[in-house]
Amino acid sequence: MSSSPPPSSAAASPSCPKKMIALRSSDGETFEIEEAAALQSKTLENMIDEDCAGTPIPLPNVTGKILAKVVEFCSKHAEPGVDDESLRAWDAEFVNVEQATVFDYILAANFLEIPTLLNLTCNVVADMIRGKTPDEIRKFFNIKSIFSPEEEEEVRRENHWAFE
Amino acid sequence: MELESVGDLALNLILTKLGPENVGRVACVNRKLRLSADEEALWSRFCSEELHLSAPLDPRGDPLPSFKAAYKKWREDFRMYPWPLVKRVKRCWDRLQGWLLTNFPDAAATLREGASEADIQELESVLRVKLPLPTRILYRFHDGQDFDESDFTENTPGGSLGIIGGYSFYGYVVNVNLLPLSKVIMETNHVVQHLGFSSRSNYIVVAASSTSGEKLFFLNCRDGQLHVGTRNLPFDGEMMPCVPKSLISSVHDRNADLQQDAMLLWLEEHGRRLQSGMIKLREDGGVRSICLFPEEPPLCSTAITNGVRIRSSAVFVPEHSDLQNEYLFAYSIRMSLIPEGCMANEMPCNFCQLYRRHWIIRANDAVVAHVNGDGAIGKFPLLHSGGKEFVYESCTHLKSPRGSIEGAFTFVPGRMADPKGSFFSVQVAQFPLQLPDYVF
């Protein structure tokens, strides 16, 4: 069966409590996450494999506010017996948040290597961009940055087929 | 927190999901996004997904410095057409051309380069027609077939490289090729005058058999249907449709969701049949050509009796039929002896020879003829075990568009001059004679 568990976890028995991993956010908050849920993150999976799972794993790139939600996402996606349709609906609600929060989720998903979360959040951003003109995209995302008139003309010429 | 700061991996994923048009617009937002939007990996993927290009080539096949430049060139060259239709036409030609390059390179070499918009406009002005959209794009990719002197030999007086192919029986040979726009103009003017069509006719000649002037395909530019002339064509202009009418739609409407005309549907169907092996290349006397006799069930039947395998199928011959009561079907019989040979007096025998044939011909389900005769088309083929198929073609008239043929051959083990046992009967399993939904 499984190899001998690390010293800090509960002993194996038929109704043993699930193995929990501790995570610490950049602002010092601690969160517990079931191992099965943690394995959604390739980064965490590697750390668990290397047996660092005894002490809280420090995640300097993720704040407590975001980490709480990421833990929630991973736990939901590790839940057994959830049908596709309900999971999709849950995901839609999960990303029904402010633009800035979606970007934070992307950064966390990137850093923690959670493909499902990365895919979900990138889809959201793609949907925000789709069908908009460059001006509309700038307004929507509050993007500054100006091309010089020559650059503007050049890039429009290069991509004019995208506007027909 | 800004869009550009989500990181290159995430940006690339977002742009991949967006597709080429939206990525083109994102490039116009600011410098950072332009850099991400211009990444070759993205455009290489778009070129591969949309155009099946694995190298940055322009529509003529010439190399360009980047995938982004290539994609842009394709979109610009075809900007006057709905892009989904352009992709669909490319897929159709890719499939046909792919099959030809692998199986019949001599014919692939006859496919001309695409016509230009100017060429198409000239044809439209001279013939006073407006080509349906899918057909225009088909010609933009390849302007029919080109033949030179060497394609016409003693063995192939009419050429055998038509990509639609054909059939032959009793010395009557059909091989259909696609006409380039210049010949479309010539043939249409000639035929329309000759047949007395009105000068406002919407018909143009798009394909013809090079071997006999009798088989002509007409595209109706107004409704997008393809027709083939029947045997009454020279008398009253009778033609029959080549493609199910219900499939044709929106042939002149750039804004419709789906445009398909008969030419596109016809070529797509032909490509499918070639690729699936329903029709194959035939080699006869050293000459190769695309043969329209079906090779797979249910249109081709197979039966093996005492080691003799008979494969049989039929093809409808529109140019010698009329739509009132004369349907001509040609059929092809292929016979061979399996490697184990046949049994004669409980001993295996490596040869057998055809002696007699017996057919039962049905129209609908009623028997209309019994045929009994010696040999087949005057021949008494000798089959040897494991040898090549002996193939022959014949034909029959029916008064209805549906029927069947079945029967039996009588063989002698060994040879007629030196039999190794008594005659045995070999089944020809029933095969259908039917007016097809796609007529080639």
mmCIF file of all heavy atoms in Angstrom, chain B residues 67-84:
data_model
loop_
_atom_site.group_PDB
_atom_site.id
_atom_site.type_symbol
_atom_site.label_atom_id
_atom_site.label_comp_id
_atom_site.label_asym_id
_atom_site.label_seq_id
_atom_site.Cartn_x
_atom_site.Cartn_y
_atom_site.Cartn_z
ATOM 1 N N PHE B 67 5.085 33.047 -39.831
ATOM 2 C CA PHE B 67 3.710 32.545 -39.855
ATOM 3 C C PHE B 67 2.716 33.688 -39.775
ATOM 4 O O PHE B 67 1.642 33.635 -40.379
ATOM 5 C CB PHE B 67 3.478 31.553 -38.697
ATOM 6 C CG PHE B 67 3.998 30.186 -38.978
ATOM 7 C CD1 PHE B 67 5.153 29.732 -38.366
ATOM 8 C CD2 PHE B 67 3.338 29.342 -39.856
ATOM 9 C CE1 PHE B 67 5.645 28.454 -38.633
ATOM 10 C CE2 PHE B 67 3.808 28.065 -40.131
ATOM 11 C CZ PHE B 67 4.975 27.620 -39.521
ATOM 12 N N LYS B 68 3.078 34.730 -39.038
ATOM 13 C CA LYS B 68 2.159 35.868 -38.925
ATOM 14 C C LYS B 68 1.973 36.512 -40.294
ATOM 15 O O LYS B 68 0.862 36.830 -40.697
ATOM 16 C CB LYS B 68 2.687 36.890 -37.914
ATOM 17 C CG LYS B 68 1.755 38.082 -37.844
ATOM 18 C CD LYS B 68 1.867 38.875 -36.558
ATOM 19 C CE LYS B 68 1.203 40.221 -36.735
ATOM 20 N NZ LYS B 68 -0.173 40.339 -36.468
ATOM 21 N N ALA B 69 3.105 36.664 -41.032
ATOM 22 C CA ALA B 69 3.013 37.251 -42.372
ATOM 23 C C ALA B 69 2.200 36.345 -43.289
ATOM 24 O O ALA B 69 1.410 36.819 -44.118
ATOM 25 C CB ALA B 69 4.420 37.461 -42.938
ATOM 26 N N ALA B 70 2.384 35.038 -43.149
ATOM 27 C CA ALA B 70 1.652 34.096 -43.999
ATOM 28 C C ALA B 70 0.152 34.196 -43.737
ATOM 29 O O ALA B 70 -0.653 34.295 -44.660
ATOM 30 C CB ALA B 70 2.144 32.673 -43.755
ATOM 31 N N TYR B 71 -0.250 34.179 -42.460
ATOM 32 C CA TYR B 71 -1.670 34.245 -42.126
ATOM 33 C C TYR B 71 -2.277 35.519 -42.688
ATOM 34 O O TYR B 71 -3.351 35.507 -43.290
ATOM 35 C CB TYR B 71 -1.876 34.176 -40.606
ATOM 36 C CG TYR B 71 -3.314 33.986 -40.246
ATOM 37 C CD1 TYR B 71 -3.864 32.711 -40.141
ATOM 38 C CD2 TYR B 71 -4.156 35.084 -40.054
ATOM 39 C CE1 TYR B 71 -5.197 32.533 -39.853
ATOM 40 C CE2 TYR B 71 -5.495 34.909 -39.761
ATOM 41 C CZ TYR B 71 -6.006 33.631 -39.668
ATOM 42 O OH TYR B 71 -7.339 33.455 -39.383
ATOM 43 N N LYS B 72 -1.550 36.608 -42.512
ATOM 44 C CA LYS B 72 -2.027 37.901 -43.013
ATOM 45 C C LYS B 72 -2.226 37.836 -44.513
ATOM 46 O O LYS B 72 -3.246 38.292 -45.028
ATOM 47 C CB LYS B 72 -1.008 38.970 -42.660
ATOM 48 C CG LYS B 72 -1.259 40.332 -43.271
ATOM 49 C CD LYS B 72 -0.258 41.354 -42.704
ATOM 50 C CE LYS B 72 -0.541 42.745 -43.239
ATOM 51 N NZ LYS B 72 0.291 43.133 -44.360
ATOM 52 N N LYS B 73 -1.284 37.240 -45.269
ATOM 53 C CA LYS B 73 -1.375 37.169 -46.730
ATOM 54 C C LYS B 73 -2.615 36.386 -47.153
ATOM 55 O O LYS B 73 -3.324 36.754 -48.073
ATOM 56 C CB LYS B 73 -0.106 36.516 -47.279
ATOM 57 C CG LYS B 73 0.011 36.563 -48.797
ATOM 58 C CD LYS B 73 0.372 37.975 -49.282
ATOM 59 C CE LYS B 73 0.686 38.027 -50.766
ATOM 60 N NZ LYS B 73 -0.439 37.838 -51.643
ATOM 61 N N TRP B 74 -2.853 35.275 -46.490
ATOM 62 C CA TRP B 74 -4.023 34.463 -46.815
ATOM 63 C C TRP B 74 -5.307 35.256 -46.602
ATOM 64 O O TRP B 74 -6.193 35.277 -47.457
ATOM 65 C CB TRP B 74 -4.052 33.195 -45.953
ATOM 66 C CG TRP B 74 -3.214 32.088 -46.505
ATOM 67 C CD1 TRP B 74 -1.888 31.882 -46.284
ATOM 68 C CD2 TRP B 74 -3.654 31.032 -47.356
ATOM 69 N NE1 TRP B 74 -1.463 30.768 -46.963
ATOM 70 C CE2 TRP B 74 -2.526 30.232 -47.622
ATOM 71 C CE3 TRP B 74 -4.878 30.696 -47.929
ATOM 72 C CZ2 TRP B 74 -2.592 29.097 -48.436
ATOM 73 C CZ3 TRP B 74 -4.950 29.565 -48.736
ATOM 74 C CH2 TRP B 74 -3.817 28.790 -48.980
ATOM 75 N N ARG B 75 -5.393 35.940 -45.443
ATOM 76 C CA ARG B 75 -6.616 36.709 -45.154
ATOM 77 C C ARG B 75 -6.784 37.836 -46.155
ATOM 78 O O ARG B 75 -7.880 38.121 -46.612
ATOM 79 C CB ARG B 75 -6.574 37.288 -43.727
ATOM 80 C CG ARG B 75 -6.633 36.263 -42.621
ATOM 81 C CD ARG B 75 -7.885 35.402 -42.651
ATOM 82 N NE ARG B 75 -9.088 36.150 -42.453
ATOM 83 C CZ ARG B 75 -9.819 36.101 -41.339
ATOM 84 N NH1 ARG B 75 -9.429 35.359 -40.328
ATOM 85 N NH2 ARG B 75 -10.929 36.795 -41.239
ATOM 86 N N GLU B 76 -5.700 38.468 -46.543
ATOM 87 C CA GLU B 76 -5.797 39.569 -47.509
ATOM 88 C C GLU B 76 -6.180 39.065 -48.891
ATOM 89 O O GLU B 76 -7.033 39.634 -49.556
ATOM 90 C CB GLU B 76 -4.457 40.308 -47.601
ATOM 91 C CG GLU B 76 -4.231 41.234 -46.435
ATOM 92 C CD GLU B 76 -2.838 41.839 -46.451
ATOM 93 O OE1 GLU B 76 -2.000 41.433 -47.264
ATOM 94 O OE2 GLU B 76 -2.611 42.718 -45.601
ATOM 95 N N ASP B 77 -5.536 37.985 -49.337
ATOM 96 C CA ASP B 77 -5.828 37.469 -50.677
ATOM 97 C C ASP B 77 -7.271 37.009 -50.818
ATOM 98 O O ASP B 77 -7.817 37.001 -51.920
ATOM 99 C CB ASP B 77 -4.891 36.292 -51.005
ATOM 100 C CG ASP B 77 -3.542 36.752 -51.540
ATOM 101 O OD1 ASP B 77 -3.285 37.967 -51.517
ATOM 102 O OD2 ASP B 77 -2.748 35.895 -51.957
ATOM 103 N N PHE B 78 -7.873 36.575 -49.710
ATOM 104 C CA PHE B 78 -9.237 36.053 -49.786
ATOM 105 C C PHE B 78 -10.238 36.934 -49.048
ATOM 106 O O PHE B 78 -11.307 36.471 -48.662
ATOM 107 C CB PHE B 78 -9.274 34.618 -49.233
ATOM 108 C CG PHE B 78 -8.631 33.617 -50.156
ATOM 109 C CD1 PHE B 78 -7.314 33.235 -49.966
ATOM 110 C CD2 PHE B 78 -9.345 33.068 -51.214
ATOM 111 C CE1 PHE B 78 -6.706 32.327 -50.827
ATOM 112 C CE2 PHE B 78 -8.750 32.158 -52.083
ATOM 113 C CZ PHE B 78 -7.433 31.784 -51.885
ATOM 114 N N ARG B 79 -9.911 38.221 -48.884
ATOM 115 C CA ARG B 79 -10.747 39.101 -48.055
ATOM 116 C C ARG B 79 -12.139 39.299 -48.642
ATOM 117 O O ARG B 79 -13.052 39.686 -47.934
ATOM 118 C CB ARG B 79 -10.076 40.458 -47.863
ATOM 119 C CG ARG B 79 -9.970 41.287 -49.126
ATOM 120 C CD ARG B 79 -9.155 42.564 -48.880
ATOM 121 N NE ARG B 79 -8.916 43.251 -50.135
ATOM 122 C CZ ARG B 79 -7.993 42.888 -51.010
ATOM 123 N NH1 ARG B 79 -7.197 41.856 -50.751
ATOM 124 N NH2 ARG B 79 -7.845 43.528 -52.146
ATOM 125 N N MET B 80 -12.323 39.003 -49.944
ATOM 126 C CA MET B 80 -13.631 39.229 -50.548
ATOM 127 C C MET B 80 -14.590 38.063 -50.303
ATOM 128 O O MET B 80 -15.710 38.074 -50.788
ATOM 129 C CB MET B 80 -13.481 39.517 -52.047
ATOM 130 C CG MET B 80 -12.842 38.397 -52.864
ATOM 131 S SD MET B 80 -11.084 38.086 -52.510
ATOM 132 C CE MET B 80 -10.288 39.479 -53.311
ATOM 133 N N TYR B 81 -14.152 37.033 -49.570
ATOM 134 C CA TYR B 81 -14.996 35.860 -49.330
ATOM 135 C C TYR B 81 -15.167 35.588 -47.844
ATOM 136 O O TYR B 81 -14.295 35.940 -47.059
ATOM 137 C CB TYR B 81 -14.384 34.626 -49.991
ATOM 138 C CG TYR B 81 -14.195 34.775 -51.471
ATOM 139 C CD1 TYR B 81 -12.927 34.803 -52.039
ATOM 140 C CD2 TYR B 81 -15.295 34.916 -52.323
ATOM 141 C CE1 TYR B 81 -12.749 34.954 -53.393
ATOM 142 C CE2 TYR B 81 -15.120 35.075 -53.686
ATOM 143 C CZ TYR B 81 -13.855 35.104 -54.214
ATOM 144 O OH TYR B 81 -13.689 35.266 -55.557
ATOM 145 N N PRO B 82 -16.286 34.927 -47.449
ATOM 146 C CA PRO B 82 -16.424 34.545 -46.038
ATOM 147 C C PRO B 82 -15.296 33.572 -45.680
ATOM 148 O O PRO B 82 -15.121 32.554 -46.349
ATOM 149 C CB PRO B 82 -17.789 33.834 -45.987
ATOM 150 C CG PRO B 82 -18.492 34.185 -47.251
ATOM 151 C CD PRO B 82 -17.439 34.506 -48.262
ATOM 152 N N TRP B 83 -14.553 33.900 -44.632
ATOM 153 C CA TRP B 83 -13.370 33.109 -44.284
ATOM 154 C C TRP B 83 -13.684 31.636 -44.004
ATOM 155 O O TRP B 83 -12.940 30.764 -44.443
ATOM 156 C CB TRP B 83 -12.648 33.766 -43.110
ATOM 157 C CG TRP B 83 -11.368 33.099 -42.686
ATOM 158 C CD1 TRP B 83 -11.103 32.548 -41.476
ATOM 159 C CD2 TRP B 83 -10.180 32.909 -43.475
ATOM 160 N NE1 TRP B 83 -9.832 32.015 -41.462
ATOM 161 C CE2 TRP B 83 -9.255 32.226 -42.659
ATOM 162 C CE3 TRP B 83 -9.816 33.237 -44.794
ATOM 163 C CZ2 TRP B 83 -7.977 31.868 -43.124
ATOM 164 C CZ3 TRP B 83 -8.550 32.876 -45.234
ATOM 165 C CH2 TRP B 83 -7.645 32.208 -44.402
ATOM 166 N N PRO B 84 -14.794 31.305 -43.303
ATOM 167 C CA PRO B 84 -15.086 29.888 -43.077
ATOM 168 C C PRO B 84 -15.242 29.112 -44.394
ATOM 169 O O PRO B 84 -14.845 27.950 -44.486
ATOM 170 C CB PRO B 84 -16.408 29.899 -42.295
ATOM 171 C CG PRO B 84 -16.452 31.241 -41.658
ATOM 172 C CD PRO B 84 -15.740 32.173 -42.589
#
